[in-house]
Amino acid sequence: MQDRSPSRRTVLASATVVAASATCVMGVTATPAAAHKRDSRLKKIISRMSIEAKVGQLFVPYFYGTSATSPSQFDQDRNLRELGVRTVAELIAKYHIGGVICFSGWANNIQDPRQIADLTNGVQRASLALPTPVPSLISIDQEHGANVRIGSGATQLPGAMALGAGRSLSDARTAGRISGTELAALGIHQNFAPVADVNVNPANPVINVRSFGADAREVGRMVAAQVTGYQQAGVVACAKHFPGHGDTGEDSHTGLPVITHTREEWERVDAPPFRAAIAAGVDSIMTAHLQVPALDPGNEPATLSPRILQGVLRDELGFDGVIVTDALNMRGVRTKYGDDRVPVLALKAGADQLLFPPDIDVAYHGVLAAVRSGEITEGRLDESVLRILRVKDKAGLLSGSPYVSPREVDRVVGARGHRLAAARIAERTTTLLVNKDEALPLRRGQKKLLVVGAGPAFPTDDTRTTVPELAKAFDELGYSTTHLATGRAPDAAKIDEAVAAARGRDAVVVTTDNVGATSAQRTLVSRLLATGVPVVHLAVRNPYDIAHLGDVPASLVSYCWTEVELRAAARVIAGRVGPRGKLPVPVQRADDPAEVLFRSGHGLSYAG
């Protein structure tokens, strides 16, 4: 897999646009003189670009397939049908694309580390074959926890709310640095993380455990730490979703949410994490597709609002980095305008990168037409291109080869030290909410366990699910474990089967996943409690689950169901380590939301 293409330096030299050494590192502001020198150098690159090339630099589209030039026939057909080209290399050549985003699952971009590195090298070869050769800024959503794209082979780290429960800035920074180091080794230099939304709405359907918590100050501290960690590793961090998506009851993927906060509430609840990110030197900020009447009485979606992006984010908060839109295929940004107008209006509002347009041809030509007609001036276009080139330069893409080596992939990605660090961090996040009569840790004689309950598939591997993997973790700790996955909506027969399986066990560990007022998971837990067998409850995602359950003797939260969180929870239950997590959100009573059942900061430890 050794790349034998001409080096990026050789190609740029042939185009007389050789880049000098970078004047600053990620997250560190250059001196005025160094910044002026850098911008002069980057403007020379821009001066050699055609209008078409400049417009292409703004776009960050999706694509199908594991290879830049030879994806499967199935993926070629999908690319041809949706993008008008067979491969991502052809997409870059046709539209002068400045960056792409990689996804697992539906897009089939991600299989294993070696394949990812080969893909990103192929993307860079295509980018350097353009008339004005500029490396691509390759992006991903690797938030960790509930939202993760790279699974097999890479280090899995606790997600945002788990880190919020750990309350360690050092752990948050270390997690960002580990993740960033592995992404950079794979040739990915922009991560759409961390989430800067403050989850003050327990019913939030889209943010929830992707947030660090409900306290704006604490969220800001964690966001700043993660920004520092990512950018120390040479990866462009991205605080999202401005101006704040934490108090919504609607998903902007499917609708246009409205934030009803007053200006004063926004300043107190939503703004602090973004201010903290900017103070930490964050290089990009992602917009939200929602309305905030207090910031824009005209009710434009924030992504398309000059008052919010230019007026608040740039002028008031002083952010001069890259503004990237949230995905432009989402319903929240498509409710008022056509797909040809949305990217134009986003640029006019102040955005720079245009993420995931639903139709790249329509979006690209919509922006191109706006520039040619004068609706968007070439000077305004150049501003965005310059910002994008700045972060490419800071990521090292303009001062050396953008290609990555298989040897470095093998050395860095999933390194033993990274995995050990992730395991220790996860142990410090597991939160013990209830422990009546010292039900935990399990006693020496409690060796025969039943693991039962909701069993969602791992975020990046649907062949592995929560319940059997948790049972395996207990087996490795010396327990004799049986397991039964009952799902999020167990029927009467499945509940009866679980009750029968509990007989003769020394303890039952029951997992729940997003329990609601009418959830059959409540019946499952109630029936298990009635058996008389000691029951340990583990919420594998939502810390609010406990409010809907009965009088459980022991209850914990892991905030996600990936392997690193499950193994940590098993070690805590077994008493190999003590619980150290503290709730980063309050848990209200299900029957009276005005009353708090567990306050933010609650978390028990083991006696002695």
Side-chain angles (χ1 to χ4, degrees):
M1 193 181 109
Q2 184 65 43
D3 189 274
R4 299 188 182 278
S5 300
S7 73
R8 188 205 53 80
R9 187 176 297 279
T10 300
V11 177
L12 285 182
S14 68
T16 66
V17 289
V18 179
S21 297
T23 58
C24 53
V25 296
M26 299 300 296
V28 179
T29 303
T31 64
H36 177 76
K37 182 178 180 181
R38 175 205 60 201
D39 283 358
S40 295
R41 173 167 47 85
L42 299 180
K43 288 175 181 178
K44 289 180 181 178
I45 298 175
I46 296 172
S47 70
R48 292 169 171 82
M49 289 182 178
S50 65
I51 296 295
E52 291 80 3
K54 293 178 185 180
V55 170
Q57 279 293 310
L58 311 179
F59 283 97
V60 186
Y62 71 96
F63 63 95
Y64 295 107
T66 56
S67 167
T69 55
S70 56
S72 69
Q73 188 61 52
F74 175 69
D75 287 327
Q76 288 188 48
D77 291 343
R78 291 199 291 173
N79 283 326
L80 190 61
R81 183 169 58 252
E82 296 182 30
L83 304 173
V85 295
R86 289 180 171 80
T87 69
V88 67
E90 293 178 8
L91 182 70
I92 291 167
K94 183 174 181 179
Y95 296 107
H96 310 269
I97 295 298
V100 295
I101 182 168
C102 297
F103 288 96
S104 55
W106 63 271
N108 193 32
N109 300 147
I110 294 168
Q111 290 180 339
D112 58 69
R114 281 286 192 104
Q115 169 269 319
I116 297 169
D118 188 57
L119 172 62
T120 62
N121 281 341
V123 167
Q124 298 298 5
R125 282 192 294 272
S127 297
L128 297 182
L130 293 173
T132 303
V134 177
S136 280
L137 192 63
I138 302 174
S139 305
I140 201 164
D141 278 308
Q142 185 80 344
E143 296 173 13
H144 291 281
N147 197 28
V148 60
R149 307 303 182 197
I150 306 173
S152 177
T155 302
Q156 301 302 299
L157 292 145
M161 192 167 284
L163 291 171
R167 304 208 170 201
S168 167
L169 299 184
S170 176
D171 283 352
R173 187 165 46 249
T174 297
R177 187 166 56 246
I178 289 172
S179 179
T181 299
E182 296 194 2
L183 290 174
L186 293 168
I188 297 171
H189 286 91
Q190 184 177 32
N191 191 19
F192 295 132
V195 170
D197 304 313
V198 182
N199 200 74
V200 293
N201 185 347
N204 195 319
V206 65
I207 303 303
N208 205 277
V209 295
R210 295 167 62 198
S211 165
F212 289 104
D215 183 285
R217 180 177 177 275
E218 288 299 313
V219 172
R221 293 171 70 242
M222 302 301 282
V223 165
Q226 285 247 284
V227 166
T228 299
Y230 279 119
Q231 296 191 173
Q232 283 177 344
V235 166
V236 178
C238 183
K240 62 185 185 185
H241 307 79
F242 189 83
H245 212 316
D247 193 10
T248 58
E250 186 175 10
D251 187 343
S252 52
H253 289 83
T254 57
L256 180 58
V258 179
I259 299 290
T260 58
H261 292 177
T262 64
R263 177 63 191 241
E264 292 73 21
E265 287 172 326
W266 179 82
E267 289 281 1
R268 185 179 71 253
V269 175
D270 303 288
F274 293 101
R275 293 185 186 275
I278 293 167
V282 72
D283 283 305
S284 63
I285 290 178
M286 181 180 287
T287 69
H289 303 326
L290 43 73
Q291 296 172 326
V292 189
L295 301 183
D296 183 352
N299 280 336
E300 289 290 353
T303 299
L304 309 182
S305 170
R307 292 183 177 182
I308 292 176
L309 298 192
Q310 184 63 50
V312 178
L313 182 53
R314 294 222 189 272
D315 296 343
E316 293 184 25
L317 273 61
F319 180 65
D320 192 37
V322 170
I323 297 178
V324 53
T325 71
D326 204 347
L328 297 182
N329 71 325
M330 294 165 61
R331 184 62 185 163
V333 79
R334 303 171 73 191
T335 56
K336 296 177 68 175
Y337 305 102
D339 292 338
D340 60 332
R341 293 298 298 163
V342 165
V344 173
L345 295 174
L347 285 170
K348 292 176 71 174
D352 302 302
Q353 281 185 305
L354 304 170
L355 179 64
F356 205 134
D359 188 320
I360 182 62
D361 192 72
V362 167
Y364 175 85
H365 283 103
V367 173
L368 189 61
V371 175
R372 286 174 171 165
S373 70
E375 182 182 3
I376 295 174
T377 67
E378 192 169 353
R380 169 66 189 88
L381 178 62
D382 288 353
E383 289 176 11
S384 285
V385 176
L386 178 60
R387 291 192 185 101
I388 292 166
L389 291 187
R390 282 174 183 160
V391 297
K392 290 185 178 185
D393 193 40
K394 291 175 74 175
L397 292 171
L398 304 183
S399 57
S401 172
Y403 301 117
V404 294
S405 74
R407 181 177 300 177
E408 189 71 359
V409 169
D410 294 343
R411 186 185 71 83
V412 171
V413 180
R416 183 174 183 273
H418 290 175
R419 292 178 184 271
L420 289 174
R424 299 293 84 81
I425 291 171
E427 289 173 352
R428 293 189 281 269
T429 68
T430 306
T431 305
L432 180 62
L433 300 180
V434 177
N435 194 22
K436 295 180 180 177
D437 300 321
E438 296 184 358
L440 290 178
L442 294 175
R443 293 170 174 79
R444 186 169 298 178
Q446 291 176 295
K447 288 296 184 181
K448 295 189 295 182
L449 304 183
L450 169 67
V451 177
V452 64
F458 279 16
T460 59
D461 184 357
D462 59 11
T463 68
R464 302 174 68 197
T465 56
T466 302
V467 169
E469 291 295 332
L470 182 58
K472 180 181 176 183
F474 280 113
D475 284 340
E476 292 174 357
L477 293 172
Y479 292 88
S480 174
T481 311
T482 58
H483 64 268
L484 174 66
T486 55
R488 291 179 65 184
D491 59 20
K494 186 62 72 173
I495 293 173
D496 288 343
E497 185 181 356
V499 169
R503 296 191 185 104
R505 298 283 101 185
D506 296 323
V508 175
V509 178
V510 56
T511 64
T512 62
D513 177 20
N514 282 5
V515 178
T518 61
S519 173
Q521 295 179 73
R522 300 177 66 194
T523 304
L524 171 66
V525 174
S526 178
R527 291 282 305 280
L528 289 170
L529 289 169
T531 65
V533 178
V535 172
V536 176
H537 164 245
L538 174 63
V540 297
R541 184 199 317 239
N542 197 327
Y544 311 109
D545 283 5
I546 184 64
H548 297 281
L549 303 179
D551 194 22
V552 293
S555 178
L556 306 95
V557 188
S558 65
Y559 306 98
C560 193
W561 59 101
T562 51
E563 185 174 5
V564 67
E565 281 98 344
L566 294 179
R567 289 182 175 276
R571 289 195 294 273
V572 170
I573 291 168
R576 302 299 174 87
V577 295
R580 293 175 58 180
K582 305 294 182 183
L583 275 176
V585 295
V587 176
Q588 299 154 318
R589 288 180 59 99
D591 57 351
D592 183 7
E595 184 176 341
V596 175
L597 186 63
F598 296 107
R599 296 190 179 279
S600 179
H602 173 80
L604 304 176
S605 58
Y606 291 151

